[in-house]
Amino acid sequence: MEPIILASGSPRRQEILKTLGVPFQVIIPQIDESIIEGIELEKQPEYLASKKVEYVSKMLPVKQEVPWILGADTIMIMDNKVYGKPVDIDEAVQFLKEFSGKTHTVITSMALYNGRLKYLTTRTAQTKVTFSSLSQDEIDWYISTGEWHNVAGGYRIQGFGSYFIKKIEGTSSAVIGLPLFELYDMLKEQGYSLIGLE
């Protein structure tokens, strides 16, 4: 398989590519991930994933052939409010209190740049996640695990956070950071094989 540049510092996305056996290097794009006025909330991740790819492509040396570049972005939305990475422990607690007993939507978008064709394609997956009702003791315990650090919404579906998730409608891999069906479909469309076929 050809190497891919992952335009993301997310350890979860790196773990997914390692599991798939995809060779990659990480270049972290330094872009502002704040909500952009004038773009629908549901379209924000697609916009930011594309901007990450664009940033990385411009960082490469002028004469270097640009290979595959993959960018991704995830946000969570509930009642028209966006939940990103909690800035501190208090915000992480607040997020969990608001998610308790309710359903929120996780939107993950990916952008893939094919350097040979000079073509950018995108895919987006939406997943609904329903939390059980959480007691203060459960919230305090979860915060003490440290899983809330550096993850959108302040919880990890692949860790202790799964204790509290009552229902998932969609794909759990999208909540982790890279929706696998959409990733496979996008790579296959561009002629990049994950299953060893030429």
Side-chain angles (χ1 to χ4, degrees):
M1 281 187 269
E2 295 177 281
I4 286 178
I5 293 176
L6 177 62
S8 170
S10 163
R12 271 69 56 194
R13 293 182 182 127
Q14 293 173 38
E15 286 166 15
I16 289 172
L17 291 184
K18 282 176 188 171
T19 300
L20 296 175
V22 174
F24 68 94
Q25 70 173 107
V26 174
I27 299 179
I28 300 174
Q30 305 298 320
I31 67 166
D32 182 3
E33 296 189 36
S34 305
I35 295 301
I36 299 97
E37 294 295 328
I39 298 178
E40 294 174 52
L41 290 181
E42 289 80 5
K43 297 286 187 184
Q44 298 276 340
E46 182 181 327
Y47 174 82
L48 288 171
S50 300
K51 293 300 284 184
K52 290 174 183 180
V53 168
E54 180 186 341
Y55 179 94
V56 168
S57 69
K58 288 179 178 176
M59 284 181 63
L60 299 174
V62 176
K63 294 188 177 178
Q64 180 180 328
E65 182 180 327
V66 178
W68 303 90
I69 305 174
L70 176 66
D73 192 75
T74 300
I75 63 170
M76 299 181 177
I77 301 175
M78 187 173 71
D79 299 330
N80 288 317
K81 176 180 175 180
V82 172
Y83 295 80
K85 297 171 184 174
V87 296
D88 55 28
I89 199 166
D90 291 335
E91 187 167 52
V93 168
Q94 188 58 39
F95 283 4
L96 292 176
K97 284 182 176 177
E98 291 178 19
F99 289 155
S100 175
K102 294 181 181 175
T103 300
H104 60 274
T105 301
V106 181
I107 302 174
T108 296
S109 292
M110 297 174 295
L112 178 70
Y113 182 72
N114 181 331
R116 286 199 198 94
L117 299 179
K118 297 185 170 36
Y119 179 73
L120 180 77
T121 186
T122 62
R123 291 285 192 284
T124 297
Q126 292 197 18
T127 302
K128 293 189 180 299
V129 178
T130 302
F131 265 62
S132 61
S133 295
L134 303 179
S135 68
Q136 188 62 51
D137 285 344
E138 287 173 320
I139 291 173
D140 291 343
W141 170 81
Y142 186 70
I143 293 298
S144 75
T145 69
E147 278 193 357
W148 62 272
H149 283 284
N150 202 34
V151 286
Y155 71 89
R156 290 186 187 162
I157 196 172
Q158 73 276 35
F160 294 121
S162 61
Y163 289 3
F164 310 128
I165 293 168
K166 188 175 181 181
K167 185 168 68 170
I168 295 173
E169 298 171 75
T171 172
S172 60
S173 59
V175 185
I176 296 170
L178 284 177
L180 290 179
F181 170 78
E182 286 78 4
L183 177 62
Y184 176 77
D185 190 53
M186 183 166 61
L187 288 168
K188 184 172 74 170
E189 179 190 82
Q190 291 298 307
Y192 186 104
S193 177
L194 283 176
I195 58 175
L197 300 177
E198 296 298 330

